mmCIF file with all atom_site columns, all heavy atoms in Angstrom:
data_model
loop_
_atom_site.group_PDB
_atom_site.id
_atom_site.type_symbol
_atom_site.label_atom_id
_atom_site.label_alt_id
_atom_site.label_comp_id
_atom_site.label_asym_id
_atom_site.label_entity_id
_atom_site.label_seq_id
_atom_site.pdbx_PDB_ins_code
_atom_site.Cartn_x
_atom_site.Cartn_y
_atom_site.Cartn_z
_atom_site.occupancy
_atom_site.B_iso_or_equiv
_atom_site.pdbx_formal_charge
_atom_site.auth_seq_id
_atom_site.auth_comp_id
_atom_site.auth_asym_id
_atom_site.auth_atom_id
_atom_site.pdbx_PDB_model_num
ATOM 1   N N   . PHE A 1 1  ? 64.528 76.034 111.715 1.00 90.00 ? 23 PHE A N   1
ATOM 2   C CA  . PHE A 1 1  ? 63.325 75.223 111.871 1.00 90.00 ? 23 PHE A CA  1
ATOM 3   C C   . PHE A 1 1  ? 63.254 74.268 110.687 1.00 90.00 ? 23 PHE A C   1
ATOM 4   O O   . PHE A 1 1  ? 63.252 74.693 109.536 1.00 90.00 ? 23 PHE A O   1
ATOM 5   C CB  . PHE A 1 1  ? 62.095 76.137 111.912 1.00 90.00 ? 23 PHE A CB  1
ATOM 6   C CG  . PHE A 1 1  ? 60.769 75.413 111.865 1.00 90.00 ? 23 PHE A CG  1
ATOM 7   C CD1 . PHE A 1 1  ? 60.425 74.489 112.842 1.00 90.00 ? 23 PHE A CD1 1
ATOM 8   C CD2 . PHE A 1 1  ? 59.857 75.679 110.846 1.00 90.00 ? 23 PHE A CD2 1
ATOM 9   C CE1 . PHE A 1 1  ? 59.191 73.836 112.805 1.00 90.00 ? 23 PHE A CE1 1
ATOM 10  C CE2 . PHE A 1 1  ? 58.633 75.041 110.801 1.00 90.00 ? 23 PHE A CE2 1
ATOM 11  C CZ  . PHE A 1 1  ? 58.301 74.113 111.788 1.00 90.00 ? 23 PHE A CZ  1
ATOM 12  N N   . THR A 1 2  ? 63.199 72.959 110.960 1.00 91.00 ? 24 THR A N   1
ATOM 13  C CA  . THR A 1 2  ? 63.239 71.960 109.892 1.00 91.00 ? 24 THR A CA  1
ATOM 14  C C   . THR A 1 2  ? 62.030 71.036 109.999 1.00 91.00 ? 24 THR A C   1
ATOM 15  O O   . THR A 1 2  ? 62.016 70.115 110.816 1.00 91.00 ? 24 THR A O   1
ATOM 16  C CB  . THR A 1 2  ? 64.520 71.118 109.950 1.00 91.00 ? 24 THR A CB  1
ATOM 17  O OG1 . THR A 1 2  ? 65.663 71.983 109.929 1.00 91.00 ? 24 THR A OG1 1
ATOM 18  C CG2 . THR A 1 2  ? 64.590 70.164 108.763 1.00 91.00 ? 24 THR A CG2 1
ATOM 19  N N   . PRO A 1 3  ? 60.989 71.267 109.180 1.00 88.00 ? 25 PRO A N   1
ATOM 20  C CA  . PRO A 1 3  ? 59.910 70.281 109.102 1.00 88.00 ? 25 PRO A CA  1
ATOM 21  C C   . PRO A 1 3  ? 60.361 69.120 108.222 1.00 88.00 ? 25 PRO A C   1
ATOM 22  O O   . PRO A 1 3  ? 61.196 69.293 107.321 1.00 88.00 ? 25 PRO A O   1
ATOM 23  C CB  . PRO A 1 3  ? 58.769 71.070 108.446 1.00 88.00 ? 25 PRO A CB  1
ATOM 24  C CG  . PRO A 1 3  ? 59.449 72.116 107.629 1.00 88.00 ? 25 PRO A CG  1
ATOM 25  C CD  . PRO A 1 3  ? 60.735 72.443 108.346 1.00 88.00 ? 25 PRO A CD  1
ATOM 26  N N   . SER A 1 4  ? 59.840 67.946 108.461 1.00 88.00 ? 26 SER A N   1
ATOM 27  C CA  . SER A 1 4  ? 60.256 66.797 107.653 1.00 88.00 ? 26 SER A CA  1
ATOM 28  C C   . SER A 1 4  ? 59.088 65.848 107.450 1.00 88.00 ? 26 SER A C   1
ATOM 29  O O   . SER A 1 4  ? 58.167 65.771 108.257 1.00 88.00 ? 26 SER A O   1
ATOM 30  C CB  . SER A 1 4  ? 61.414 66.051 108.333 1.00 88.00 ? 26 SER A CB  1
ATOM 31  O OG  . SER A 1 4  ? 61.015 65.529 109.580 1.00 88.00 ? 26 SER A OG  1
ATOM 32  N N   . VAL A 1 5  ? 59.142 65.138 106.334 1.00 86.00 ? 27 VAL A N   1
ATOM 33  C CA  . VAL A 1 5  ? 58.169 64.106 106.027 1.00 86.00 ? 27 VAL A CA  1
ATOM 34  C C   . VAL A 1 5  ? 58.945 62.870 105.601 1.00 86.00 ? 27 VAL A C   1
ATOM 35  O O   . VAL A 1 5  ? 59.912 62.958 104.843 1.00 86.00 ? 27 VAL A O   1
ATOM 36  C CB  . VAL A 1 5  ? 57.179 64.558 104.919 1.00 86.00 ? 27 VAL A CB  1
ATOM 37  C CG1 . VAL A 1 5  ? 57.908 65.029 103.676 1.00 86.00 ? 27 VAL A CG1 1
ATOM 38  C CG2 . VAL A 1 5  ? 56.214 63.453 104.566 1.00 86.00 ? 27 VAL A CG2 1
ATOM 39  N N   . SER A 1 6  ? 58.548 61.746 106.128 1.00 88.00 ? 28 SER A N   1
ATOM 40  C CA  . SER A 1 6  ? 59.236 60.507 105.766 1.00 88.00 ? 28 SER A CA  1
ATOM 41  C C   . SER A 1 6  ? 58.205 59.445 105.400 1.00 88.00 ? 28 SER A C   1
ATOM 42  O O   . SER A 1 6  ? 57.119 59.376 105.980 1.00 88.00 ? 28 SER A O   1
ATOM 43  C CB  . SER A 1 6  ? 60.109 60.016 106.928 1.00 88.00 ? 28 SER A CB  1
ATOM 44  O OG  . SER A 1 6  ? 59.330 59.790 108.087 1.00 88.00 ? 28 SER A OG  1
ATOM 45  N N   . GLY A 1 7  ? 58.562 58.629 104.430 1.00 85.00 ? 29 GLY A N   1
ATOM 46  C CA  . GLY A 1 7  ? 57.679 57.547 104.010 1.00 85.00 ? 29 GLY A CA  1
ATOM 47  C C   . GLY A 1 7  ? 56.403 58.002 103.346 1.00 85.00 ? 29 GLY A C   1
ATOM 48  O O   . GLY A 1 7  ? 55.398 57.279 103.352 1.00 85.00 ? 29 GLY A O   1
ATOM 49  N N   . ALA A 1 8  ? 56.389 59.201 102.770 1.00 85.00 ? 30 ALA A N   1
ATOM 50  C CA  . ALA A 1 8  ? 55.197 59.684 102.076 1.00 85.00 ? 30 ALA A CA  1
ATOM 51  C C   . ALA A 1 8  ? 55.043 58.944 100.752 1.00 85.00 ? 30 ALA A C   1
ATOM 52  O O   . ALA A 1 8  ? 56.028 58.657 100.067 1.00 85.00 ? 30 ALA A O   1
ATOM 53  C CB  . ALA A 1 8  ? 55.304 61.183 101.822 1.00 85.00 ? 30 ALA A CB  1
ATOM 54  N N   . SER A 1 9  ? 53.806 58.651 100.412 1.00 88.00 ? 31 SER A N   1
ATOM 55  C CA  . SER A 1 9  ? 53.579 57.970 99.135  1.00 88.00 ? 31 SER A CA  1
ATOM 56  C C   . SER A 1 9  ? 53.565 58.991 98.008  1.00 88.00 ? 31 SER A C   1
ATOM 57  O O   . SER A 1 9  ? 53.041 60.093 98.145  1.00 88.00 ? 31 SER A O   1
ATOM 58  C CB  . SER A 1 9  ? 52.252 57.211 99.177  1.00 88.00 ? 31 SER A CB  1
ATOM 59  O OG  . SER A 1 9  ? 51.166 58.097 99.353  1.00 88.00 ? 31 SER A OG  1
ATOM 60  N N   . ILE A 1 10 ? 54.156 58.598 96.904  1.00 87.00 ? 32 ILE A N   1
ATOM 61  C CA  . ILE A 1 10 ? 54.252 59.480 95.752  1.00 87.00 ? 32 ILE A CA  1
ATOM 62  C C   . ILE A 1 10 ? 53.908 58.666 94.517  1.00 87.00 ? 32 ILE A C   1
ATOM 63  O O   . ILE A 1 10 ? 54.243 57.474 94.417  1.00 87.00 ? 32 ILE A O   1
ATOM 64  C CB  . ILE A 1 10 ? 55.663 60.100 95.665  1.00 87.00 ? 32 ILE A CB  1
ATOM 65  C CG1 . ILE A 1 10 ? 55.726 61.216 94.633  1.00 87.00 ? 32 ILE A CG1 1
ATOM 66  C CG2 . ILE A 1 10 ? 56.729 59.041 95.379  1.00 87.00 ? 32 ILE A CG2 1
ATOM 67  C CD1 . ILE A 1 10 ? 57.013 62.028 94.729  1.00 87.00 ? 32 ILE A CD1 1
ATOM 68  N N   . GLY A 1 11 ? 53.173 59.257 93.593  1.00 89.00 ? 33 GLY A N   1
ATOM 69  C CA  . GLY A 1 11 ? 52.734 58.528 92.405  1.00 89.00 ? 33 GLY A CA  1
ATOM 70  C C   . GLY A 1 11 ? 53.042 59.283 91.125  1.00 89.00 ? 33 GLY A C   1
ATOM 71  O O   . GLY A 1 11 ? 53.034 60.508 91.089  1.00 89.00 ? 33 GLY A O   1
ATOM 72  N N   . PHE A 1 12 ? 53.317 58.526 90.063  1.00 87.00 ? 34 PHE A N   1
ATOM 73  C CA  . PHE A 1 12 ? 53.630 59.102 88.759  1.00 87.00 ? 34 PHE A CA  1
ATOM 74  C C   . PHE A 1 12 ? 52.819 58.380 87.693  1.00 87.00 ? 34 PHE A C   1
ATOM 75  O O   . PHE A 1 12 ? 52.427 57.219 87.852  1.00 87.00 ? 34 PHE A O   1
ATOM 76  C CB  . PHE A 1 12 ? 55.124 58.951 88.427  1.00 87.00 ? 34 PHE A CB  1
ATOM 77  C CG  . PHE A 1 12 ? 56.055 59.580 89.408  1.00 87.00 ? 34 PHE A CG  1
ATOM 78  C CD1 . PHE A 1 12 ? 56.503 58.864 90.510  1.00 87.00 ? 34 PHE A CD1 1
ATOM 79  C CD2 . PHE A 1 12 ? 56.492 60.873 89.227  1.00 87.00 ? 34 PHE A CD2 1
ATOM 80  C CE1 . PHE A 1 12 ? 57.365 59.427 91.407  1.00 87.00 ? 34 PHE A CE1 1
ATOM 81  C CE2 . PHE A 1 12 ? 57.369 61.444 90.128  1.00 87.00 ? 34 PHE A CE2 1
ATOM 82  C CZ  . PHE A 1 12 ? 57.805 60.731 91.226  1.00 87.00 ? 34 PHE A CZ  1
ATOM 83  N N   . SER A 1 13 ? 52.590 59.079 86.618  1.00 88.00 ? 35 SER A N   1
ATOM 84  C CA  . SER A 1 13 ? 52.069 58.442 85.409  1.00 88.00 ? 35 SER A CA  1
ATOM 85  C C   . SER A 1 13 ? 53.022 58.767 84.273  1.00 88.00 ? 35 SER A C   1
ATOM 86  O O   . SER A 1 13 ? 53.746 59.767 84.316  1.00 88.00 ? 35 SER A O   1
ATOM 87  C CB  . SER A 1 13 ? 50.661 58.938 85.086  1.00 88.00 ? 35 SER A CB  1
ATOM 88  O OG  . SER A 1 13 ? 50.677 60.314 84.734  1.00 88.00 ? 35 SER A OG  1
ATOM 89  N N   . LEU A 1 14 ? 53.026 57.910 83.231  1.00 87.00 ? 36 LEU A N   1
ATOM 90  C CA  . LEU A 1 14 ? 53.923 58.140 82.104  1.00 87.00 ? 36 LEU A CA  1
ATOM 91  C C   . LEU A 1 14 ? 53.358 57.468 80.856  1.00 87.00 ? 36 LEU A C   1
ATOM 92  O O   . LEU A 1 14 ? 52.516 56.558 80.935  1.00 87.00 ? 36 LEU A O   1
ATOM 93  C CB  . LEU A 1 14 ? 55.326 57.607 82.417  1.00 87.00 ? 36 LEU A CB  1
ATOM 94  C CG  . LEU A 1 14 ? 55.456 56.117 82.767  1.00 87.00 ? 36 LEU A CG  1
ATOM 95  C CD1 . LEU A 1 14 ? 55.643 55.270 81.511  1.00 87.00 ? 36 LEU A CD1 1
ATOM 96  C CD2 . LEU A 1 14 ? 56.615 55.908 83.728  1.00 87.00 ? 36 LEU A CD2 1
ATOM 97  N N   . ASP A 1 15 ? 53.795 57.961 79.735  1.00 88.00 ? 37 ASP A N   1
ATOM 98  C CA  . ASP A 1 15 ? 53.463 57.330 78.451  1.00 88.00 ? 37 ASP A CA  1
ATOM 99  C C   . ASP A 1 15 ? 54.729 56.652 77.918  1.00 88.00 ? 37 ASP A C   1
ATOM 100 O O   . ASP A 1 15 ? 55.834 57.182 78.059  1.00 88.00 ? 37 ASP A O   1
ATOM 101 C CB  . ASP A 1 15 ? 52.987 58.391 77.445  1.00 88.00 ? 37 ASP A CB  1
ATOM 102 C CG  . ASP A 1 15 ? 51.697 59.073 77.899  1.00 88.00 ? 37 ASP A CG  1
ATOM 103 O OD1 . ASP A 1 15 ? 50.866 58.395 78.542  1.00 88.00 ? 37 ASP A OD1 1
ATOM 104 O OD2 . ASP A 1 15 ? 51.543 60.280 77.628  1.00 88.00 ? 37 ASP A OD2 1
ATOM 105 N N   . TRP A 1 16 ? 54.532 55.487 77.330  1.00 85.00 ? 38 TRP A N   1
ATOM 106 C CA  . TRP A 1 16 ? 55.679 54.767 76.783  1.00 85.00 ? 38 TRP A CA  1
ATOM 107 C C   . TRP A 1 16 ? 55.419 54.353 75.342  1.00 85.00 ? 38 TRP A C   1
ATOM 108 O O   . TRP A 1 16 ? 54.269 54.230 74.909  1.00 85.00 ? 38 TRP A O   1
ATOM 109 C CB  . TRP A 1 16 ? 56.025 53.541 77.616  1.00 85.00 ? 38 TRP A CB  1
ATOM 110 C CG  . TRP A 1 16 ? 54.874 52.568 77.812  1.00 85.00 ? 38 TRP A CG  1
ATOM 111 C CD1 . TRP A 1 16 ? 54.020 52.498 78.860  1.00 85.00 ? 38 TRP A CD1 1
ATOM 112 C CD2 . TRP A 1 16 ? 54.481 51.527 76.906  1.00 85.00 ? 38 TRP A CD2 1
ATOM 113 N NE1 . TRP A 1 16 ? 53.104 51.495 78.693  1.00 85.00 ? 38 TRP A NE1 1
ATOM 114 C CE2 . TRP A 1 16 ? 53.370 50.875 77.482  1.00 85.00 ? 38 TRP A CE2 1
ATOM 115 C CE3 . TRP A 1 16 ? 54.938 51.071 75.661  1.00 85.00 ? 38 TRP A CE3 1
ATOM 116 C CZ2 . TRP A 1 16 ? 52.718 49.809 76.879  1.00 85.00 ? 38 TRP A CZ2 1
ATOM 117 C CZ3 . TRP A 1 16 ? 54.277 50.013 75.059  1.00 85.00 ? 38 TRP A CZ3 1
ATOM 118 C CH2 . TRP A 1 16 ? 53.182 49.385 75.666  1.00 85.00 ? 38 TRP A CH2 1
ATOM 119 N N   . LYS A 1 17 ? 56.501 54.149 74.628  1.00 85.00 ? 39 LYS A N   1
ATOM 120 C CA  . LYS A 1 17 ? 56.438 53.650 73.245  1.00 85.00 ? 39 LYS A CA  1
ATOM 121 C C   . LYS A 1 17 ? 57.687 52.793 73.029  1.00 85.00 ? 39 LYS A C   1
ATOM 122 O O   . LYS A 1 17 ? 58.791 53.199 73.404  1.00 85.00 ? 39 LYS A O   1
ATOM 123 C CB  . LYS A 1 17 ? 56.400 54.801 72.254  1.00 85.00 ? 39 LYS A CB  1
ATOM 124 C CG  . LYS A 1 17 ? 56.320 54.347 70.797  1.00 85.00 ? 39 LYS A CG  1
ATOM 125 C CD  . LYS A 1 17 ? 56.423 55.528 69.841  1.00 85.00 ? 39 LYS A CD  1
ATOM 126 C CE  . LYS A 1 17 ? 55.212 56.447 69.973  1.00 85.00 ? 39 LYS A CE  1
ATOM 127 N NZ  . LYS A 1 17 ? 55.246 57.529 68.946  1.00 85.00 ? 39 LYS A NZ  1
ATOM 128 N N   . VAL A 1 18 ? 57.490 51.611 72.453  1.00 84.00 ? 40 VAL A N   1
ATOM 129 C CA  . VAL A 1 18 ? 58.625 50.722 72.149  1.00 84.00 ? 40 VAL A CA  1
ATOM 130 C C   . VAL A 1 18 ? 58.501 50.248 70.693  1.00 84.00 ? 40 VAL A C   1
ATOM 131 O O   . VAL A 1 18 ? 57.412 50.247 70.113  1.00 84.00 ? 40 VAL A O   1
ATOM 132 C CB  . VAL A 1 18 ? 58.661 49.511 73.104  1.00 84.00 ? 40 VAL A CB  1
ATOM 133 C CG1 . VAL A 1 18 ? 58.883 49.949 74.544  1.00 84.00 ? 40 VAL A CG1 1
ATOM 134 C CG2 . VAL A 1 18 ? 57.388 48.690 72.999  1.00 84.00 ? 40 VAL A CG2 1
ATOM 135 N N   . TRP A 1 19 ? 59.626 49.870 70.132  1.00 82.00 ? 41 TRP A N   1
ATOM 136 C CA  . TRP A 1 19 ? 59.610 49.327 68.768  1.00 82.00 ? 41 TRP A CA  1
ATOM 137 C C   . TRP A 1 19 ? 60.726 48.294 68.624  1.00 82.00 ? 41 TRP A C   1
ATOM 138 O O   . TRP A 1 19 ? 61.722 48.335 69.363  1.00 82.00 ? 41 TRP A O   1
ATOM 139 C CB  . TRP A 1 19 ? 59.753 50.443 67.739  1.00 82.00 ? 41 TRP A CB  1
ATOM 140 C CG  . TRP A 1 19 ? 60.928 51.337 67.958  1.00 82.00 ? 41 TRP A CG  1
ATOM 141 C CD1 . TRP A 1 19 ? 62.180 51.161 67.495  1.00 82.00 ? 41 TRP A CD1 1
ATOM 142 C CD2 . TRP A 1 19 ? 60.924 52.546 68.709  1.00 82.00 ? 41 TRP A CD2 1
ATOM 143 N NE1 . TRP A 1 19 ? 62.988 52.180 67.883  1.00 82.00 ? 41 TRP A NE1 1
ATOM 144 C CE2 . TRP A 1 19 ? 62.236 53.067 68.634  1.00 82.00 ? 41 TRP A CE2 1
ATOM 145 C CE3 . TRP A 1 19 ? 59.946 53.261 69.402  1.00 82.00 ? 41 TRP A CE3 1
ATOM 146 C CZ2 . TRP A 1 19 ? 62.593 54.251 69.246  1.00 82.00 ? 41 TRP A CZ2 1
ATOM 147 C CZ3 . TRP A 1 19 ? 60.309 54.437 70.004  1.00 82.00 ? 41 TRP A CZ3 1
ATOM 148 C CH2 . TRP A 1 19 ? 61.619 54.924 69.939  1.00 82.00 ? 41 TRP A CH2 1
ATOM 149 N N   . LYS A 1 20 ? 60.486 47.405 67.687  1.00 77.00 ? 42 LYS A N   1
ATOM 150 C CA  . LYS A 1 20 ? 61.466 46.353 67.412  1.00 77.00 ? 42 LYS A CA  1
ATOM 151 C C   . LYS A 1 20 ? 61.414 46.039 65.929  1.00 77.00 ? 42 LYS A C   1
ATOM 152 O O   . LYS A 1 20 ? 60.338 45.832 65.365  1.00 77.00 ? 42 LYS A O   1
ATOM 153 C CB  . LYS A 1 20 ? 61.145 45.098 68.231  1.00 77.00 ? 42 LYS A CB  1
ATOM 154 C CG  . LYS A 1 20 ? 62.168 43.977 68.049  1.00 77.00 ? 42 LYS A CG  1
ATOM 155 C CD  . LYS A 1 20 ? 61.811 42.808 68.936  1.00 77.00 ? 42 LYS A CD  1
ATOM 156 C CE  . LYS A 1 20 ? 62.846 41.698 68.793  1.00 77.00 ? 42 LYS A CE  1
ATOM 157 N NZ  . LYS A 1 20 ? 62.517 40.536 69.639  1.00 77.00 ? 42 LYS A NZ  1
ATOM 158 N N   . LYS A 1 21 ? 62.569 46.014 65.325  1.00 77.00 ? 43 LYS A N   1
ATOM 159 C CA  . LYS A 1 21 ? 62.626 45.782 63.888  1.00 77.00 ? 43 LYS A CA  1
ATOM 160 C C   . LYS A 1 21 ? 63.066 44.341 63.615  1.00 77.00 ? 43 LYS A C   1
ATOM 161 O O   . LYS A 1 21 ? 64.086 43.881 64.109  1.00 77.00 ? 43 LYS A O   1
ATOM 162 C CB  . LYS A 1 21 ? 63.612 46.749 63.231  1.00 77.00 ? 43 LYS A CB  1
ATOM 163 C CG  . LYS A 1 21 ? 63.533 46.758 61.714  1.00 77.00 ? 43 LYS A CG  1
ATOM 164 C CD  . LYS A 1 21 ? 64.351 47.889 61.142  1.00 77.00 ? 43 LYS A CD  1
ATOM 165 C CE  . LYS A 1 21 ? 64.196 47.960 59.628  1.00 77.00 ? 43 LYS A CE  1
ATOM 166 N NZ  . LYS A 1 21 ? 64.974 49.073 59.043  1.00 77.00 ? 43 LYS A NZ  1
ATOM 167 N N   . ILE A 1 22 ? 62.194 43.636 62.912  1.00 73.00 ? 44 ILE A N   1
ATOM 168 C CA  . ILE A 1 22 ? 62.510 42.269 62.491  1.00 73.00 ? 44 ILE A CA  1
ATOM 169 C C   . ILE A 1 22 ? 62.528 42.255 60.954  1.00 73.00 ? 44 ILE A C   1
ATOM 170 O O   . ILE A 1 22 ? 61.497 42.417 60.319  1.00 73.00 ? 44 ILE A O   1
ATOM 171 C CB  . ILE A 1 22 ? 61.467 41.269 63.030  1.00 73.00 ? 44 ILE A CB  1
ATOM 172 C CG1 . ILE A 1 22 ? 61.400 41.353 64.574  1.00 73.00 ? 44 ILE A CG1 1
ATOM 173 C CG2 . ILE A 1 22 ? 61.806 39.863 62.595  1.00 73.00 ? 44 ILE A CG2 1
ATOM 174 C CD1 . ILE A 1 22 ? 60.339 40.479 65.164  1.00 73.00 ? 44 ILE A CD1 1
ATOM 175 N N   . TRP A 1 23 ? 63.753 42.079 60.433  1.00 76.00 ? 45 TRP A N   1
ATOM 176 C CA  . TRP A 1 23 ? 63.960 42.192 58.992  1.00 76.00 ? 45 TRP A CA  1
ATOM 177 C C   . TRP A 1 23 ? 63.473 43.552 58.526  1.00 76.00 ? 45 TRP A C   1
ATOM 178 O O   . TRP A 1 23 ? 63.969 44.565 58.931  1.00 76.00 ? 45 TRP A O   1
ATOM 179 C CB  . TRP A 1 23 ? 63.256 41.062 58.234  1.00 76.00 ? 45 TRP A CB  1
ATOM 180 C CG  . TRP A 1 23 ? 63.836 39.703 58.570  1.00 76.00 ? 45 TRP A CG  1
ATOM 181 C CD1 . TRP A 1 23 ? 63.336 38.785 59.443  1.00 76.00 ? 45 TRP A CD1 1
ATOM 182 C CD2 . TRP A 1 23 ? 65.016 39.154 58.017  1.00 76.00 ? 45 TRP A CD2 1
ATOM 183 N NE1 . TRP A 1 23 ? 64.127 37.675 59.507  1.00 76.00 ? 45 TRP A NE1 1
ATOM 184 C CE2 . TRP A 1 23 ? 65.198 37.877 58.610  1.00 76.00 ? 45 TRP A CE2 1
ATOM 185 C CE3 . TRP A 1 23 ? 65.979 39.575 57.082  1.00 76.00 ? 45 TRP A CE3 1
ATOM 186 C CZ2 . TRP A 1 23 ? 66.263 37.040 58.308  1.00 76.00 ? 45 TRP A CZ2 1
ATOM 187 C CZ3 . TRP A 1 23 ? 67.020 38.732 56.781  1.00 76.00 ? 45 TRP A CZ3 1
ATOM 188 C CH2 . TRP A 1 23 ? 67.161 37.483 57.402  1.00 76.00 ? 45 TRP A CH2 1
ATOM 189 N N   . PHE A 1 24 ? 62.498 43.565 57.697  1.00 77.00 ? 46 PHE A N   1
ATOM 190 C CA  . PHE A 1 24 ? 62.016 44.835 57.167  1.00 77.00 ? 46 PHE A CA  1
ATOM 191 C C   . PHE A 1 24 ? 60.711 45.273 57.837  1.00 77.00 ? 46 PHE A C   1
ATOM 192 O O   . PHE A 1 24 ? 60.072 46.222 57.415  1.00 77.00 ? 46 PHE A O   1
ATOM 193 C CB  . PHE A 1 24 ? 61.799 44.733 55.643  1.00 77.00 ? 46 PHE A CB  1
ATOM 194 C CG  . PHE A 1 24 ? 60.899 43.601 55.253  1.00 77.00 ? 46 PHE A CG  1
ATOM 195 C CD1 . PHE A 1 24 ? 59.513 43.766 55.233  1.00 77.00 ? 46 PHE A CD1 1
ATOM 196 C CD2 . PHE A 1 24 ? 61.447 42.357 54.915  1.00 77.00 ? 46 PHE A CD2 1
ATOM 197 C CE1 . PHE A 1 24 ? 58.724 42.709 54.870  1.00 77.00 ? 46 PHE A CE1 1
ATOM 198 C CE2 . PHE A 1 24 ? 60.623 41.309 54.566  1.00 77.00 ? 46 PHE A CE2 1
ATOM 199 C CZ  . PHE A 1 24 ? 59.257 41.477 54.530  1.00 77.00 ? 46 PHE A CZ  1
ATOM 200 N N   . ILE A 1 25 ? 60.319 44.559 58.900  1.00 78.00 ? 47 ILE A N   1
ATOM 201 C CA  . ILE A 1 25 ? 59.079 44.912 59.613  1.00 78.00 ? 47 ILE A CA  1
ATOM 202 C C   . ILE A 1 25 ? 59.445 45.513 60.974  1.00 78.00 ? 47 ILE A C   1
ATOM 203 O O   . ILE A 1 25 ? 60.245 44.949 61.714  1.00 78.00 ? 47 ILE A O   1
ATOM 204 C CB  . ILE A 1 25 ? 58.183 43.674 59.811  1.00 78.00 ? 47 ILE A CB  1
ATOM 205 C CG1 . ILE A 1 25 ? 57.810 43.075 58.454  1.00 78.00 ? 47 ILE A CG1 1
ATOM 206 C CG2 . ILE A 1 25 ? 56.949 44.043 60.617  1.00 78.00 ? 47 ILE A CG2 1
ATOM 207 C CD1 . ILE A 1 25 ? 57.051 41.782 58.584  1.00 78.00 ? 47 ILE A CD1 1
ATOM 208 N N   . THR A 1 26 ? 58.830 46.635 61.292  1.00 75.00 ? 48 THR A N   1
ATOM 209 C CA  . THR A 1 26 ? 59.023 47.275 62.600  1.00 75.00 ? 48 THR A CA  1
ATOM 210 C C   . THR A 1 26 ? 57.757 47.094 63.439  1.00 75.00 ? 48 THR A C   1
ATOM 211 O O   . THR A 1 26 ? 56.665 47.552 63.065  1.00 75.00 ? 48 THR A O   1
ATOM 212 C CB  . THR A 1 26 ? 59.319 48.770 62.437  1.00 75.00 ? 48 THR A CB  1
ATOM 213 O OG1 . THR A 1 26 ? 60.500 48.945 61.652  1.00 75.00 ? 48 THR A OG1 1
ATOM 214 C CG2 . THR A 1 26 ? 59.529 49.418 63.801  1.00 75.00 ? 48 THR A CG2 1
#
């Protein structure tokens, strides 16, 4: 017996952090 779902909507949340160093400043 195989139930199936197709095209279901799925949602995520996430935290991000980025950095860039220019000379001696980050």
Side-chain angles (χ1 to χ4, degrees):
F23 171 60
T24 305
S26 63
V27 54
S28 59
S31 63
I32 191 168
F34 301 88
S35 66
L36 58 88
D37 297 326
W38 55 265
K39 181 186 294 186
V40 297
W41 53 88
K42 183 177 182 181
K43 191 170 184 179
I44 302 176
W45 296 99
F46 54 86
I47 300 174
T48 301

